[in-house]
Amino acid sequence: MIDKKSNLIPPMKSHNKPHPIPYKQDNSILETCQVLSSEIILSVLLEKMIKFILDSAEAEKGFLILKKAEQWVIEASAIRAINCFETLQSIPLETVIEKSKNPLLCKRIVKEVIRTQKPIVLQNAMDQGRFTRNPYIRNQQVKSVLCHPLLNQKRLIGILYLENNMNTGVFTPEKAALINGLACQAALSLENAQLYENLRTNDAKFNQLLDALPIGIALHDQQGQVIYMNQAGKSLFNFQIDFNSIGEDLAKSYQIYLAGTHQLY
């Protein structure tokens, strides 16, 4: 049951039974979790995640909000009516103006979930809860809203925001349970994808640094296979490195010697 006074889903009491997830949806959650756990490219993950959640929850539009450089930004959006899906937009949450002509979402609800780290479900936002006087809620005539934190080991990774302005009561307890079942895996997958994205960015910066050096640098693995050579190295030998040449073959092919000796590298 939803606490109308606080707009938050209260903890289940011992005498209340949790809302069961239908068998088909339970299988769907498992399959989706497997898909999300195997995806590490952030843009692809965001698109898969927002599409599945939009369809499963019967939302008309949805947003995924992540923390980036110490600020909350909208990184994925989906609007069913125009079949629009966008990722990596990095729209700062603070720039969302609820009184504007075409606002994206109810910023106040999102901020409340960020603050409390508890989900908010409104079956009729215009008539229920503490947000009835909010400019966005009134102007957009918002009906059904679900805003859920994405937590990994009690760390807030992101926020999921869903709306359906066609009907009231869309986000039923069963749908809320479905979203809750996906939230943990979504948070874990998002965190892993963000870490990978940061590594790729740092790796690209490191390669740029090496390419800027005036000396030739080559890296090889334990078998002697070259895995990287900077621009100065390629210019020095005046060739495009053959990564299939390994060990002594590489040294012989390009006459590479140990410094100060006539011994092949």
Side-chain angles (χ1 to χ4, degrees), residues 1-4 6-13 16 118-119:
M1 181 180 293
I2 298 170
D3 184 347
K4 293 185 177 181
S6 64
N7 305 305
L8 305 181
I9 301 176
M12 291 290 181
K13 298 180 181 179
N16 288 337
K118 300 292 183 182

Side-chain angles (χ1 to χ4, degrees), residues 209-226:
L209 174 63
L210 292 180
D211 281 337
L213 295 176
I215 59 174
I217 296 176
L219 304 177
H220 61 79
D221 59 20
Q222 293 180 340
Q223 286 71 44
Q225 181 168 342
V226 174

Side-chain angles (χ1 to χ4, degrees), residues 20-159:
I21 299 175
Y23 177 74
K24 289 184 179 180
Q25 288 190 2
D26 194 38
N27 282 345
S28 180
I29 289 177
L30 180 60
E31 292 173 3
T32 303
C33 286
Q34 290 173 342
V35 171
L36 297 182
S37 65
S38 64
E39 185 55 65
I40 200 168
I41 305 300
L42 184 58
S43 59
V44 179
L45 174 65
L46 288 169
E47 184 172 351
K48 287 181 178 180
M49 192 178 295
I50 195 69
K51 282 183 176 180
F52 175 81
I53 292 173
L54 202 74
D55 289 338
S56 300
E58 298 183 23
E60 291 302 315
K61 69 176 181 178
F63 300 91
L64 279 168
I65 301 134
L66 306 179
K67 199 167 190 179
K68 185 177 182 181
E70 299 305 315
Q71 67 173 342
W72 291 98
V73 298
I74 298 171
E75 285 287 39
S77 63
I79 302 175
R80 186 188 297 277
I82 57 175
N83 196 32
C84 177
F85 299 90
E86 296 185 45
T87 62
L88 301 181
Q89 302 154 285
S90 296
I91 302 172
L93 183 63
E94 291 301 327
T95 65
V96 175
I97 301 175
E98 294 175 329
K99 294 182 180 180
S100 66
K101 186 177 181 180
N102 295 303
L104 297 174
L105 46 72
C106 182
K107 182 168 63 175
R108 187 182 167 195
I109 290 178
V110 175
K111 284 191 168 185
E112 183 73 6
V113 173
I114 291 173
R115 184 182 69 82
T116 64
Q117 298 189 13
K118 300 292 183 182
I120 291 176
V121 181
L122 301 174
Q123 303 300 350
N124 189 347
M126 290 187 65
D127 297 323
Q128 173 197 1
R130 294 181 290 108
F131 305 99
T132 55
R133 296 181 181 275
N134 180 267
Y136 175 85
I137 298 295
R138 303 307 302 174
N139 295 338
Q140 302 301 312
Q141 298 185 344
V142 177
K143 293 181 174 64
S144 300
V145 177
L146 186 152
C147 191
H148 203 292
L150 302 178
L151 299 165
N152 181 26
Q153 297 181 348
K154 298 183 179 180
R155 296 192 311 275
L156 185 60
I157 306 301
I159 302 292

